[in-house]
Amino acid sequence: MLTDGNEFEAEVRRVARLMWPADVGSGAVMFDGKERDGVFISEECVHAIECTVSRTKSKAEDDGKKLVKILKELRKKFADKAAKGWFITQQEPTADQRTAIQQLGNDLVAVSYDVFRSKLVDAKSYLNSREAFAFGSVRDPETGAIDDRASYVQMDLCGPHGDLYNIRHLSEGLLKGDKFVVLGDYGAGKSTTLREIFFDLRTSYFKHKTVFFPVLLNLRDHHGQTNPAEALERHGRNIGYPHPHHLVRAWRAGFITLLLDGFDELGSPGWTGIPKKLRDLRYQSMVLVREFVKDTPITSGLVISGRAHYFDRKEDEIYRALGLPAGAISISLTDFTEDQVSAYLKKRGWSGAIPSWLPSRPLLVGYLAAKGVLQQTINETSTFSPAEGWDLLLDRVCEREAGIDIGISGDTVREIVEKLATKARCYVDGLGPLNPMEIAGIFRDTCGYEPDQKSLILLQRLPGLGSSESEDGSRYFVDKDIVDVARTGDVIRYIVAPYAQDHSSFSGWQCPMGVLGHEVVSLKLKTSCTAKQLSAAARSASDSLGNDCLAGDITQVLIEMGMPYVDSNLEIKDIIFPNIYFDENMMDYSGVTFLDCSFQEMELDVEISSDKMPKFKSCLFGSVIGRISHKDLPKEVFDDDCEFYNFSNDVSTNQAILDVEALPLPVRVGLSILKKLYVQSGSGRKHSALVRGLDHRAKRYVDPALTLLRQEGFLVESSASSEKVWLPVRKHSSRVRKILSSPIGSDDPIIKNLSTC
């Protein structure tokens, strides 16, 4: 708030110059030997201004008389123009002030700064219009309606050095002109966070604490646009703001704090080219964002949000593609803590613990609470592995929906969901959209008849699918984990009987299964499938179906199950995989070749045998864990056309933790275990995965560290899996992230305890 009179006068003159730019010499003038606050000449009118922070009647009378005198002279000098006097107050003029000005003539007006500035941009009208419009993907998890903020719970926002932010911190930084990028996975709360920043800044503006007001764009509404001015005008029209072009003027003038939500939704949804070209395609799709960053005044705050893994795991690509300055601050959204989950669910009318394997993302937790299935599975899944827990949860949700009297079983409902998950694999993110005709067609193909009225009710609330903001009734899967489990249905059916079903839906896949999907398939087939059967299925998927994505899925299931590939040579090409890993006990996959594929992450054990590894030709790797450079990789496995973005050479990797010689080796091993459990993909890890990447000296500390970490409550052992699986304990997530962000300087007692292992 501008409480100093001189600052207020300067601000009023700045606004006036923007509204009446015809005369470059406009501004303060001398008249009768005294300075006047401002004279501005436009094409049709000459404007005289007096402004004050005072609320006294006498000030209005004095300034009004000054305006009368100067207007008399201006009319003589500019006889062809109209003349108008402005008495401008910081707050709304008092009744006495307004009356005093009105008594001096009809060519004088008394207005507040807000009213005066509304001639440039009507900020209040914009803020009221924007409040009623959707904020990105923020929706009620069951109805799809615009969320009313009642269930919002403050999340932890983690800075680049492990420091924690909250909404107020970000708002204060933005008002100082700071630039932020907010990163998070699907359903982590990015749009919700920007919405709360918007309302916090809106409150500051309405309380006259700042002259800046927030403008929030859903970038999904601006696909294909490259000009910021056009985007701002479209945004204004979308929300029903009567003067869209005013937003452009206000933005260039530095009155706007800009919030851009969803940079990942500007990318082309139909990318099917060679993975190496994705980097250039991503860069090209960010033109609008870069133009916004370039043209936003340096004093104006800016925040941009998007999915953390939209870009490869290299911060410089994010900054380069978005055009962010070096001083921009990267903020990561963390999962809910145990207390935050409880608070969130309480606001949604539900209380109680949730399974330790269940990711605590607001979108998914809210969805499951709305569906009423959390309580039903709590007691059964407390020590389940992620694969076991998710598989049972999907069964429970489907059984609940089958409770509607429609004459089909929970198994049939699950099969419909699984086939929809298969259909969604034609999209890069594997989530959809799925339009009503596609959904009804899959119901018909599964059940053998057209959906009746009751069936249509089911199709509107199918498990795992949520409403989109479109008007065509399309649905999206609400979470990558739940859809990954659903994808396993058709994969399992194909492996068991590759020639016994219609494969028309197996074409055009772009999204492979994730770690959780591999674990579910392995869990269900571990006693019924042999390496020969799985290898033949992978070979058939590639040769007969031309589905390299499915062939890749099955190959990674072989790796997960610890079985070799035993069929003839298999080539998998042009697929983007989240990750792949090989440990020292790996079987023989030398008959498999990956061509022009992309891997977000590859993990290699220290003592791995290269003659058992598959071949990689012209492949792209985002992060290689377990090696420090490409010289560390066997040339007979990786050809010269492979590209590598990042190796284990920073403190965010397991190898770097293990290389911190300032810490005792048992501490480094314990921290490596915590990182694999709490930070890396998946919410549970097999015992063999926790050993992977360690040399013979470090491996002897794994079991003592696990024992201590279990005693300290950092992890629990799954009791339902045939192979030992370790699960993180949700309430320690923030504590673990803080330890890992600065392990050397950490005073957490677990560091001291681990050193005694």
Side-chain angles (χ1 to χ4, degrees), residues 392 593 712:
L392 177 61
T593 298
E712 296 286 337

Side-chain angles (χ1 to χ4, degrees), residues 22-200:
D23 184 357
V24 296
S26 297
V29 297
M30 296 300 295
F31 182 77
D32 279 348
K34 296 181 180 180
E35 183 176 332
R36 296 291 181 259
D37 291 346
V39 172
F40 298 86
I41 299 105
S42 66
E43 293 181 358
E44 298 178 352
C45 186
V46 56
H47 303 268
I49 289 175
E50 290 293 333
C51 42
T52 182
V53 297
S54 172
R55 296 181 61 76
T56 65
K57 179 181 178 181
S58 59
K59 179 61 174 173
E61 292 173 336
D62 291 343
D63 282 356
K65 292 175 183 178
K66 294 177 184 177
L67 289 170
V68 170
K69 286 183 180 181
I70 197 169
L71 285 177
K72 184 177 179 179
E73 294 301 318
L74 290 172
R75 287 191 185 96
K76 294 178 183 179
K77 186 175 181 180
F78 301 97
D80 61 332
K81 298 179 184 290
K84 186 173 183 177
W86 299 81
F87 175 69
I88 303 170
T89 56
Q90 185 182 44
Q91 301 180 36
E92 190 68 20
T94 66
D96 287 342
Q97 287 178 322
R98 199 180 297 277
T99 300
I101 294 297
Q102 289 172 347
Q103 290 175 346
L104 293 172
N106 294 330
D107 51 359
L108 270 64
V109 294
V111 296
S112 68
Y113 170 75
D114 284 344
V115 171
F116 179 69
R117 194 177 69 160
S118 70
K119 307 295 181 181
L120 176 70
V121 56
D122 188 353
K124 289 185 177 180
S125 177
Y126 168 79
L127 293 171
N128 290 332
S129 298
R130 184 64 184 86
E131 181 180 2
F133 193 73
F135 289 86
S137 58
V138 181
R139 302 275 165 175
D140 182 274
E142 185 167 29
T143 67
I146 296 176
D147 192 82
D148 61 3
R149 300 180 64 208
S151 60
Y152 175 73
V153 171
Q154 173 74 63
M155 302 175 65
D156 291 336
L157 308 171
C158 190
H161 305 295
D163 42 337
L164 295 181
Y165 289 74
N166 57 33
I167 297 298
R168 187 87 282 268
H169 292 150
L170 296 185
S171 296
E172 290 172 350
L174 289 167
L175 292 176
K176 292 187 296 184
D178 290 344
K179 310 297 189 285
F180 296 95
V181 57
V182 175
L183 304 173
D185 291 329
Y186 179 83
K190 300 180 296 297
S191 294
T192 305
T193 298
L194 261 65
R195 180 193 65 180
E196 294 305 310
I197 294 173
F198 172 87
F199 278 102
D200 193 66

Side-chain angles (χ1 to χ4, degrees), residues 418 429 655:
E418 290 172 342
D429 61 6
Q655 188 60 46

Side-chain angles (χ1 to χ4, degrees), residues 31 63 77 139 145 168 225 229 280 282 290 332 401 452 484 496 543 624 673 695 707 756:
F31 182 77
D63 282 356
K77 186 175 181 180
R139 302 275 165 175
R168 187 87 282 268
Q225 286 192 295
D280 293 335
R282 288 193 293 260
R290 287 196 299 277
S332 298
E401 297 304 325
D452 57 18
D484 208 26
V496 173
D543 288 353
V624 181
I673 292 171
D695 60 26
T707 299
T756 63

Side-chain angles (χ1 to χ4, degrees), residues 392-409:
L392 177 61
L393 180 64
L394 186 55
D395 275 343
R396 291 289 185 266
V397 178
C398 292
E399 288 169 5
R400 181 188 182 281
E401 297 304 325
I404 302 172
D405 186 16
I406 57 174
I408 62 175
S409 66

Side-chain angles (χ1 to χ4, degrees), residues 23 45 179 291 297 306 338 502 522 552 624 626 651 670 688 715 721 724:
D23 184 357
C45 186
K179 310 297 189 285
E291 290 298 309
E338 189 75 17
D502 176 21
S522 301
V624 181
V651 295
S688 58
L715 49 85
S721 176
K724 187 179 293 185

